Amino acid sequence: MQPPLGRYQEIADTLARHGFGFLAGELGITRRLAARRGTAGGDTDPQRLPNAPERLRLVLEDLGPTFVKLGQLLSTRPDLLPPAYIAEMAKLQDAAPPIPAEQVRATIREELGADPEELFATFEWTPMASASIGQVHTATLTDGTAVVVKVRRPDVVRQVQEDLDILNNIATRAARVWETARTYDIPGIMREFGDTLRAELDYLREARNAERFATNFAERPEVIIPRVYWDTTTSRVLTLERMSGIKVSDRDGLDAAGIDPRQVAVTGANIVLTMIFDDRFFHADLHPGNLFVQPHGRIALIDFGMVGEISEELSDKLADVFIASATRNTGSLASALIDLSVAQTSIDRRALRASLSSLFAQYSDRALGDIHFTRLATDLLRVVREHRLQLPQEISLVVRALLVTEGVGVQLDPRFELNSVLTPFARRLIREKLSVAAIAKRVSRASMDAGALLLELPTRLRRLLEVMDQSGIEVHLRAAELDPLMGRAERIGNRLVAGVITAALINGLGQVIARDSRLRTWKSALTGAGITAFTTLSGYLLWTARRHR
């Protein structure tokens, strides 16, 4: 089903109101609206507008939940957006008007088969928080356990799907008209965003995420993960143990409770790094509102709708980046970044190495461990953007988690440095990559890949021959690539012409000799010399051709 034109109209008007009216035409929105009046015409007077990053944030806020979520996702992609835009996207708050009590009651009755008063000992109708996908109510179970109940908004799935369809249409159009959109595979990013947002709509998935974290941290008393109460949990209603404590960024509150903020910074960083490097399954929305400090410095995590998972292959590539960075080997680092990237365009390796050399030259007087992670990561991401490398979404989430962790750590302790906590994890990752077992595993995998390739080779060759028999093979060249090829062809052609002329001369001379009896005595010698000369010339031409390939 096509999204309604009214939503396209709303997007066009919102873009125009915030000074982006030209985008409505470029992205094909006005074309869909045809001759409707009120379509985004001109931009508002730029002199009265905030800067571009702030205007973009205002557009997303005005367009509602799906676009706010998109902005929040973009705040995790420093490989795509400059710092000014990242800072504005991070300001987006996922807030929405409260759901009326009767709608909350109706949803709970439909999902759980009874009214809240029958299912819970107490149920607070004034929401604790109200967001774009759902809202949170405090309650107690019949045994007195304090819980929170998340209730999904009515009709939110349809609304989100309509907006996702529009965003996919816009992304496809952008990829057709803008080279940058093709380079960064904007349609692919929109698909990833859609998958992430649909996952957040399913509270059963969030419940499973919470239980997975609980299992991973079962032996770590410094971490508290809320328990899931499955009897009152469905895809639209989620009941979790209620977490209490001091907001992790509240230094004054921690001091008043007698909790050392510096120790909290280190504990929090260790928790995040354990999730990323040891478990390879991490909380991807680690803003301070989702971490609470309990007595004795224990940290409670909440809100598990957005998570990241790092595959073994991705972990291996990340280790390559750490190794190259630690040794400041710009050639290896360039290769590691290209290998890590999912960019859709060719990369100038020489220019990338030059940029990385320039970056490391700024820190030539300091060891890598003495450089603030935020500064080094920001500089490295700038190079990534300049060379149009695109990091996998999981790596972008890792970078954001580390940046947020260092930011919170510095709030708690101005002397906090993430590198001091990160270094042991990075060293362990490098040791694991270079271990005998890991190398043997890679060799085994390579052997299996080679074996599979050999088995597939006859089939692939047969298909190639079929294509050549039916329609041939088309070779596409860019104009910029023709000049050097034509130059080489001309040089080789000149030598081939010389060779043909020389061969013809030898052949003609042989015929003359054959007709003249006085010269027949020289025939064998001259013919042999001609064959030798022709063979030598052919060999030279082949060598020259190879040299100029």
Side-chain angles (χ1 to χ4, degrees):
M1 189 174 88
Q2 290 293 321
L5 288 179
R7 184 57 169 160
Y8 279 104
Q9 180 72 61
E10 184 179 357
I11 293 171
D13 291 343
T14 303
L15 287 170
R17 189 165 63 252
H18 293 291
F20 292 111
F22 66 96
L23 282 177
E26 292 287 341
L27 296 173
I29 297 174
T30 52
R31 179 173 55 81
R32 291 178 179 273
L33 297 175
R36 288 183 57 140
R37 297 182 58 134
T39 296
D43 295 345
T44 308
D45 181 1
Q47 299 298 321
R48 298 199 303 270
L49 293 170
N51 58 40
E54 187 176 349
R55 282 186 281 138
L56 179 59
R57 174 177 61 79
L58 294 173
V59 166
L60 298 176
E61 284 180 349
D62 286 355
L63 289 176
T66 307
F67 289 82
V68 168
K69 288 286 185 182
L70 174 61
Q72 291 175 335
L73 172 71
L74 291 174
S75 74
T76 71
R77 302 303 303 261
D79 58 317
L80 300 179
L81 294 178
Y85 282 88
I86 295 293
E88 283 297 326
M89 297 302 101
K91 294 178 184 178
L92 286 164
Q93 298 297 315
D94 187 14
I99 307 171
E102 284 310 309
Q103 289 185 353
V104 172
R105 181 187 296 278
T107 299
I108 291 176
R109 187 189 298 121
E110 289 170 11
E111 292 296 305
L112 304 177
D115 287 332
E117 293 87 352
E118 299 175 58
L119 299 165
F120 303 97
T122 64
F123 189 91
E124 179 57 55
W125 289 101
T126 302
M128 179 183 181
S130 185
S132 57
I133 291 177
Q135 69 184 26
V136 181
H137 294 261
T138 57
T140 55
L141 300 179
T142 52
D143 64 359
T145 302
V147 296
V148 293
V149 182
K150 295 178 71 171
V151 181
R152 198 173 73 190
R153 287 183 174 274
D155 210 29
V156 69
V157 173
R158 181 192 59 79
Q159 294 171 6
V160 165
Q161 190 56 56
E162 281 183 0
D163 282 345
L164 288 177
D165 289 342
I166 289 173
L167 286 170
N168 284 328
N169 290 339
I170 291 174
T172 301
R173 165 73 178 176
R176 285 201 301 266
V177 300
W178 291 338
E179 181 185 353
T180 301
R182 288 192 299 275
T183 299
Y184 286 110
D185 188 20
I186 298 302
I189 291 174
M190 285 301 105
R191 286 193 296 272
E192 286 183 354
F193 168 62
D195 292 341
T196 300
L197 188 50
R198 289 186 193 97
E200 286 194 60
L201 292 169
D202 183 2
Y203 286 160
L204 287 174
R205 183 172 298 195
E206 181 174 347
R208 289 191 290 268
N209 291 341
E211 289 208 329
R212 185 170 173 182
F213 282 119
T215 300
N216 290 345
F217 285 102
E219 305 301 322
R220 302 290 296 271
E222 70 273 23
V223 184
I224 305 295
I225 305 294
R227 177 183 170 187
V228 179
Y229 291 93
W230 288 101
D231 288 345
T232 48
T233 292
T234 70
S235 62
R236 297 172 65 198
V237 178
L238 172 61
T239 304
L240 295 168
E241 179 184 3
R242 194 189 313 172
M243 294 288 100
S244 60
I246 303 165
K247 199 173 180 179
V248 73
S249 58
D250 184 1
R251 182 187 172 94
D252 292 339
L254 295 173
D255 284 334
I259 300 172
D260 184 359
R262 291 171 295 182
Q263 186 56 49
V264 171
V266 173
T267 300
N270 271 302
I271 291 170
V272 174
L273 294 171
T274 296
M275 288 191 286
I276 293 171
F277 292 101
D278 291 350
D279 303 330
R280 298 211 298 263
F281 178 74
F282 60 97
H283 196 304
D285 194 16
L286 283 170
H287 61 77
N290 285 338
L291 296 93
F292 296 96
V293 183
Q294 296 188 340
H296 309 295
R298 297 192 305 174
I299 295 180
L301 301 179
I302 65 169
D303 198 354
F304 308 101
M306 190 174 180
V307 298
E309 187 165 10
I310 302 174
S311 66
E312 185 177 351
E313 180 185 4
L314 210 53
S315 178
D316 199 48
K317 292 179 180 180
L318 194 58
D320 288 335
V321 173
F322 279 124
I323 293 170
S325 299
T327 58
R328 304 198 184 203
N329 186 326
T330 55
S332 295
L333 182 55
S335 296
L337 289 173
I338 291 171
D339 195 30
L340 188 64
S341 171
V342 293
Q344 303 296 305
T345 185
S346 59
I347 305 298
D348 187 337
R349 288 175 179 264
R350 183 178 298 177
L352 178 58
R353 286 198 300 270
S355 296
L356 292 171
S357 297
S358 177
L359 186 154
F360 281 125
Q362 301 174 32
Y363 306 112
S364 58
D365 59 335
R366 281 181 288 173
L368 207 62
D370 296 332
I371 304 168
H372 275 296
F373 175 82
T374 299
R375 180 178 175 187
L376 181 60
T378 301
D379 287 344
L380 190 58
L381 288 167
R382 174 179 48 78
V383 172
V384 165
R385 285 194 307 274
E386 287 174 354
H387 290 271
R388 297 191 173 186
L389 295 167
Q390 182 184 333
L391 300 180
Q393 183 182 16
E394 295 82 0
I395 296 300
S396 299
L397 293 173
V398 166
V399 172
R400 179 178 183 264
L402 295 177
L403 292 174
V404 170
T405 300
E406 182 164 70
V408 173
V410 170
Q411 278 185 274
L412 294 171
D413 176 14
R415 295 174 296 177
F416 174 80
E417 292 185 2
L418 182 63
N419 281 346
S420 62
V421 190
L422 175 60
T423 300
F425 287 90
R427 284 176 178 165
R428 193 187 315 151
L429 183 66
I430 292 170
R431 282 198 304 270
E432 289 173 358
K433 176 180 174 60
L434 300 178
S435 68
V436 174
I439 293 173
K441 189 173 183 179
R442 287 199 295 275
V443 170
S444 174
R445 189 186 305 137
S447 300
M448 288 189 291
D449 289 344
L453 180 61
L454 285 173
L455 290 173
E456 293 175 5
L457 191 57
T459 302
R460 292 182 181 274
L461 286 174
R462 186 170 62 252
R463 289 176 183 170
L464 177 60
L465 290 173
E466 288 172 357
V467 171
M468 294 177 69
D469 288 340
Q470 292 171 6
S471 58
I473 297 176
E474 294 183 2
V475 178
H476 298 272
L477 292 175
R478 298 184 181 90
E481 295 172 340
L482 290 175
D483 289 341
L485 287 175
M486 292 302 294
R488 291 175 188 173
E490 186 178 356
R491 289 194 296 272
I492 294 171
N494 289 339
R495 290 176 173 84
L496 285 171
V497 169
V500 171
I501 293 172
T502 302
L505 178 62
I506 293 169
N507 184 59
L509 185 60
Q511 291 178 10
V512 171
I513 292 171
R515 292 192 183 97
D516 192 330
S517 59
R518 291 173 298 176
L519 296 177
R520 284 175 185 170
T521 56
W522 296 90
K523 178 180 177 182
S524 298
L526 287 171
T527 303
I531 293 170
T532 302
F534 184 73
T535 304
T536 303
L537 180 61
S538 299
Y540 172 73
L541 289 171
L542 287 172
W543 174 81
T544 304
R546 289 196 187 101
R547 181 165 167 252
H548 288 87
R549 275 191 300 184

